[in-house]
Amino acid sequence: MTRISRETGPQQADLALEIERNLLRALAEANTQSANESLVLKASAEDGSLAGGLTASTSYGWLLIKTLWVSDAHRGSGLGRELMEAAEEEGRKLGCHGAWLDTSNIDARSFYRRLGYQDFGNLENGPDELPAGHCRWFMKKAL
């Protein structure tokens, strides 16, 4: 008999990676794949500290932007745009025809729209659902 339990210990991250690897392997066996790559971009400040970064992955010809972060000291400098453009270029090199992402931050949504991303769906909480009025936008862009 199987048993389901919630993993909360220090091995949680390793288990999550193992589950993802197993799923990707099963999908690759069942479906025609393009390049499945992980992508991590790092932006360093002049003093060597982390100024920003981006994580992404590719699957089925799509570049998924997972996270984009820019330090407060570098916001408004164009670094976010540079990281996005670099990720998109890497995606094109890996054969991606499009990029997609999601955000629940209205300012980030405006930023991505300025980069050419368009909404293709959303999840929105109702007035009685916590947090009330919260919205998560899903966005895409042709590469």
Side-chain angles (χ1 to χ4, degrees):
M1 178 174 213
T2 60
R3 185 177 72 100
I4 297 173
S5 62
R6 179 177 177 200
E7 181 61 56
T8 59
Q11 59 273 29
Q12 181 182 28
D14 290 337
L15 178 59
L17 288 172
E18 181 180 352
I19 292 167
E20 184 175 0
R21 276 192 305 271
N22 287 335
L23 173 62
L24 291 175
R25 184 174 49 255
L27 288 172
E29 291 170 0
N31 299 294
T32 302
Q33 295 283 309
S34 60
N36 288 322
E37 300 284 338
S38 293
L39 178 64
V40 178
L41 300 177
K42 175 183 173 183
S44 299
E46 288 183 21
D47 65 1
S49 65
L50 183 63
L54 181 148
T55 65
S57 63
T58 65
S59 183
Y60 300 104
W62 286 91
L63 173 69
L64 167 59
I65 306 294
K66 294 180 178 180
T67 58
L68 169 65
W69 171 78
V70 175
S71 71
D72 290 341
H74 292 89
R75 295 241 169 117
S77 69
L79 181 56
R81 174 182 291 273
E82 289 179 48
L83 284 163
M84 289 294 292
E85 289 172 350
E88 292 168 2
E89 179 59 29
E90 290 296 321
R92 282 189 287 276
K93 288 178 185 175
L94 293 168
C96 293
H97 55 77
W100 73 282
L101 55 85
D102 67 88
T103 185
S104 58
N105 181 297
I106 191 73
D107 293 329
R109 180 180 181 225
S110 296
F111 167 76
Y112 294 126
R113 291 183 82 156
R114 288 192 303 274
L115 296 179
Y117 285 78
Q118 298 176 336
D119 296 345
F120 71 88
N122 69 355
L123 295 172
E124 191 169 355
N125 289 357
D128 297 330
E129 300 167 331
L130 296 178
H134 178 267
C135 188
R136 186 174 189 172
W137 296 276
F138 295 83
M139 306 178 80
K140 68 178 180 174
K141 175 183 178 178
L143 297 180

